[in-house]
């Protein structure tokens, strides 16, 4: 497959509305690069929070989680963290040539 064909295919795969798992987006590499934690699970464990929310949208408004993220990472909120992680995830998928 030619470079441009593969690039076009990758763009089409990530275009539109997609649903990604937090575990896909908040990779160990992302967490290690952007926080002092070794993984998403490590970060949540060290937060001491008992998260019961099941969607990212529910987590975005969790005040305790947002306070923890703000105090322990370079991000102002969990949503800010997920937004950057999602941008990097999509960019990597597009450029997976």
């Amino acid at each position: 497959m030619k470079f441009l064909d593969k690039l076009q295919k990758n763009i089409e795969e990530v275009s539109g509305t997609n649903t990604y798992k937090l575990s896909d987006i908040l990779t160990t590499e992302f967490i290690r690069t952007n926080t002092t934690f070794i993984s998403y699970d490590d970060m949540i464990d060290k937060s001491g929070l008992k998260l019961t929310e099941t969607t990212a949208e529910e987590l975005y408004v969790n005040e305790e989680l947002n306070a923890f993220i703000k105090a322990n990472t370079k991000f102002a909120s969990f949503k800010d963290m997920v937004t950057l992680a999602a941008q990097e995830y999509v960019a990597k998928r597009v450029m997976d040539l």
Side-chain angles (χ1 to χ4, degrees):
M1 183 177 281
K2 293 182 180 180
F3 173 81
L4 291 178
D5 292 336
K6 177 70 171 157
L7 181 60
Q8 179 66 34
K9 180 179 180 275
N10 290 353
I11 291 170
E12 289 171 2
E13 287 177 359
V14 299
S15 296
T17 303
N18 293 296
T19 302
Y20 300 108
K21 295 178 184 177
L22 282 176
S23 59
D24 290 339
I25 295 170
L26 294 171
T27 64
T28 298
E29 177 185 358
F30 178 86
I31 295 295
R32 286 183 178 180
T33 300
N34 292 285
T35 75
T36 58
F37 304 101
I38 60 171
S39 68
Y40 175 73
D41 289 338
D42 177 54
M43 182 178 71
I44 297 304
D45 288 346
K46 290 189 174 151
S47 76
L49 299 173
K50 303 295 180 221
L51 301 176
T52 58
E53 295 83 354
T54 58
T55 68
E57 290 77 17
E58 291 173 329
L59 289 168
Y60 294 160
V61 296
N62 182 309
E63 291 179 15
E64 291 175 316
L65 177 59
N66 284 318
F68 177 81
I69 295 298
K70 187 173 184 176
N72 293 283
T73 73
K74 66 181 185 178
F75 301 99
S77 67
F78 185 68
K79 184 174 184 176
D80 288 349
M81 177 187 280
V82 172
T83 298
L84 179 60
Q87 290 169 348
E88 290 182 7
Y89 177 79
V90 169
K92 285 181 184 177
R93 289 202 49 208
V94 166
M95 296 309 297
D96 183 21
L97 305 169

